[in-house]
C-alpha cells in the first residue's frame, strides 16, 4: 500500500532537517507552494498589531459574536451542573484539545511531526474544529505565520504587542477578506489542495450545531444514563459544548501568551518562548514551548524525563498500532543543529 506523505510549505523559520525514519518508503519531495515574500507585501495593507489604527478598521464581527456567545453560555454552567455533563466536558476536552488541537492541528497539520492516513488526518481536523478555534485552514496558517515571525513584527499574537492582545484580542480586528485569503495562500497552500480540509472549513459552524443537538438529545432522552428532560438536555449542552469550548480556548491561548512571558528556557531561541509547567499540564504537553520553538518538527514537546507530554503518548499509541509513522524524534536531529 502506498502511504501518503506530509507536505509542508516553507514558513521562513529555521526549519529542522530530519532524516525519514521509515525503511519502507523513501523521502518524498515537498511541495512548498509559492515562493514566500517579504512580510510587508502582505501586512502593509493593515496597520501595526494592536494599534489604534488597526482597531479603527472595526471588528471581525462573526468571530467576536461566536466567541462572545460561547462565553455568555458558559456563565450558565454552575446552574446546570450534573455529573453526566462533567463527564461529557472531560471527554470532549481530551478529544478536541489533545487529539484535535495539539495532535491534529499543531503537530500533524502545521509541522508534519508524523504521518498518518488521510481519513485520520480529516478526523483529527474535525475534532480540532470542534474546539471552536476556527477551521484547520485558518488555524494552521496563523500558526505557521507565528513561527516565521515569532515575537517580531508580523507575529499574529506576540505579548510584545500586549499581554491580552496575545491571549485573545489578536483575532478580533477586521483585517479584510483580501488579507485572510492571502494568509491561506501563503501559509497553507498544501491545505488548500486537500478537498477534505476545504469541506471541513465550510462545515465549521454546522458541525457545532450538530454536536449541540446530539448533546441535548443525549441529556433529554438519556433515561438509561440517569438523565431525562429539558434540564439535563441544557446541562449536557452547556457543559459539553459552551463551557468546554471556552476552557479549551483559554488553555490554548495561554500558549500564545503565558509561555512567551514566564517560565524557563532550555534552548537559546531567537524569540521569547519558554517552558511553563502548569500550561503544559493544562494543554496536554504544549506548554513546553521553548522546546517546541527550538525544534519545531519534533513530535514530543517534552525533551526532559519530567516534562510530561500526554499528546505525545497518543502519537506513540498510534505508531504502535500502525496508524502513524515517520514520527520525528529528538534523536533524529543531526548533532550540532542550532535551535530556531
Amino acid at each position: 500500500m502506498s502511504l501518503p506523505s506530509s507536505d509542508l510549505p516553507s514558513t521562513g523559520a529555521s526549519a529542522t532537517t530530519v532524516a525519514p525514519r521509515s525503511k519502507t518508503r523513501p523521502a518524498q519531495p515537498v511541495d512548498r507552494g509559492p515562493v514566500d515574500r517579504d512580510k510587508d507585501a502582505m501586512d502593509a495593507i493593515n496597520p501595526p498589531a494592536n494599534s489604534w489604527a488597526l482597531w479603527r478598521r472595526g471588528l471581525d464581527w462573526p468571530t467576536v459574536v461566536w466567541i462572545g456567545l460561547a462565553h455568555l453560555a458558559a456563565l450558565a454552567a454552575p446552574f446546570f451542573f450534573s455529573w453526566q455533563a462533567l463527564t461529557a466536558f472531560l471527554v470532549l476536552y481530551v478529544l478536541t484539545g489533545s487529539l484535535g488541537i495539539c495532535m491534529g492541528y499543531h503537530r500533524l497539520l502545521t509541522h508534519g511531526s508524523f504521518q498518518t492516513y488521510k481519513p485520520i488526518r480529516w478526523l483529527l481536523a474535525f475534532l480540532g474544529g470542534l474546539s471552536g478555534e476556527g477551521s484547520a485552514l485558518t488555524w494552521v496558517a496563523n500558526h505557521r505565520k507565528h513561527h516565521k515571525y515569532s515575537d517580531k513584527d508580523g507575529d499574529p499574537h506576540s505579548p510584545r504587542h500586549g499581554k491580552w492582545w496575545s491571549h485573545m484580542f489578536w483575532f478580533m480586528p477586521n483585517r479584510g477578506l483580501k488579507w485572510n485569503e492571502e494568509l491561506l495562500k501563503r501559509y497553507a497552500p498544501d491545505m488548500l489542495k486537500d478537498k477534505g480540509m476545504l469541506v471541513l472549513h465550510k462545515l465549521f459552524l454546522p458541525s457545532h450545531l450538530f454536536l449541540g443537538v446530539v448533546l441535548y438529545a443525549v441529556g433529554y432522552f438519556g433515561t438509561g444514563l440517569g438523565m431525562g428532560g429539558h434540564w439535563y438536555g441544557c446541562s449536557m449542552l452547556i457543559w459539553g459544548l459552551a463551557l468546554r469550548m471556552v476552557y479549551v480556548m483559554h488553555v490554548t491561548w495561554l500558549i500564545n501568551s503565558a509561555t512567551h512571558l514566564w517560565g524557563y528556557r532550555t534552548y537559546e531561541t531567537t524569540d521569547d518562548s519558554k517552558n511553563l509547567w502548569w500550561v503544559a499540564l493544562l494543554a496536554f504537553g504544549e506548554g513546553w514551548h521553548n522546546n517546541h520553538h527550538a525544534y519545531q518538527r519534533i513530535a514530543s514537546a517534552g525533551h526532559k524525563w519530567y516534562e510530561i507530554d500526554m499528546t505525545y503518548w497518543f502519537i506513540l499509541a498510534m505508531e504502535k498500532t500502525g496508524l502513524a509513522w515517520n514520527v520525528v524524534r529528538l534523536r533524529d536531529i543531526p548533532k550540532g543543529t542550532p535551535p530556531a
Side-chain angles (χ1 to χ4, degrees), residues 35-46 149 178-179 182 186-187:
V35 177
D36 200 10
R37 299 172 297 229
D38 184 79
K39 166 184 70 69
D40 290 340
M42 175 182 175
D43 288 341
I45 61 176
N46 275 296
Y149 300 110
K178 181 180 179 181
W179 187 92
E182 185 68 12
R186 293 185 61 190
Y187 292 99

Side-chain angles (χ1 to χ4, degrees), residues 264 266-267 275 281 288 291 300-310 312-313 330:
Y264 65 89
T266 301
Y267 302 99
N275 295 322
L281 293 180
W288 311 119
N291 296 345
S300 173
H303 292 182
K304 305 290 186 181
W305 66 268
Y306 53 82
E307 293 175 341
I308 297 174
D309 184 356
M310 186 183 296
Y312 184 55
W313 299 346
L330 186 61

Side-chain angles (χ1 to χ4, degrees), residues 63 66-67 101 105 125-140 200-201 204-205 208 245 249:
T63 300
W66 172 252
I67 300 297
I101 293 293
Y105 274 18
F126 172 74
L127 292 174
L130 291 179
S131 71
E133 297 181 20
S135 73
L137 291 179
T138 57
W139 200 101
V140 168
L200 290 174
H201 180 72
F204 173 73
L205 183 57
H208 285 84
M245 279 200 328
M249 286 176 184

Side-chain angles (χ1 to χ4, degrees), residues 195-215:
K195 293 183 179 179
M197 296 298 173
L198 295 176
V199 170
L200 290 174
H201 180 72
K202 295 178 180 179
L203 291 179
F204 173 73
L205 183 57
S207 66
H208 285 84
L209 297 176
F210 174 76
L211 177 61
V213 169
V214 170
L215 287 168

